Amino acid sequence: MITQIGITVFSLIAIYLTQDKRIERRRWASVFGLASQPFWFYASVTTAQWGIFTLSLLYTAVWAKGFYTHWIAQPEAP
């Protein structure tokens, strides 16, 4: 039950934030996306859904790229 709540809450917030017009909010999408990943990993491993597990690895890489882009990397000069 906790796993399903974690997946739902964090994933939905992440997806919602990707569509926000304001960059200040959009940059938080990767944070919530990364927060959802442990729930996805746990759910996929405990039910032996290896396709979902593989997809979760790929999503983690994409969310990590977004996190790097919006939180770590230096902004490009205009």
Side-chain angles (χ1 to χ4, degrees):
M1 180 72 163
I2 297 293
T3 304
Q4 294 173 6
I5 292 170
I7 287 172
T8 302
V9 170
F10 290 118
S11 298
L12 185 59
I13 291 171
I15 293 167
Y16 177 81
L17 288 171
T18 65
Q19 303 307 306
D20 202 289
K21 290 181 180 181
R22 294 162 288 204
I23 188 69
E24 302 83 27
R25 289 192 180 179
R26 205 167 49 236
R27 70 190 301 235
W28 284 93
S30 60
V31 173
F32 283 95
L34 286 170
S36 73
Q37 292 312 108
F39 296 102
W40 281 105
F41 286 128
Y42 179 80
S44 62
V45 168
T46 58
T47 57
Q49 294 182 355
W50 304 116
I52 300 295
F53 180 80
T54 303
L55 189 58
S56 295
L57 289 173
L58 297 171
Y59 279 162
T60 300
V62 173
W63 287 125
K65 180 186 183 305
F67 183 83
Y68 177 81
T69 300
H70 293 288
W71 292 96
I72 298 171
Q74 299 297 320
E76 294 181 11

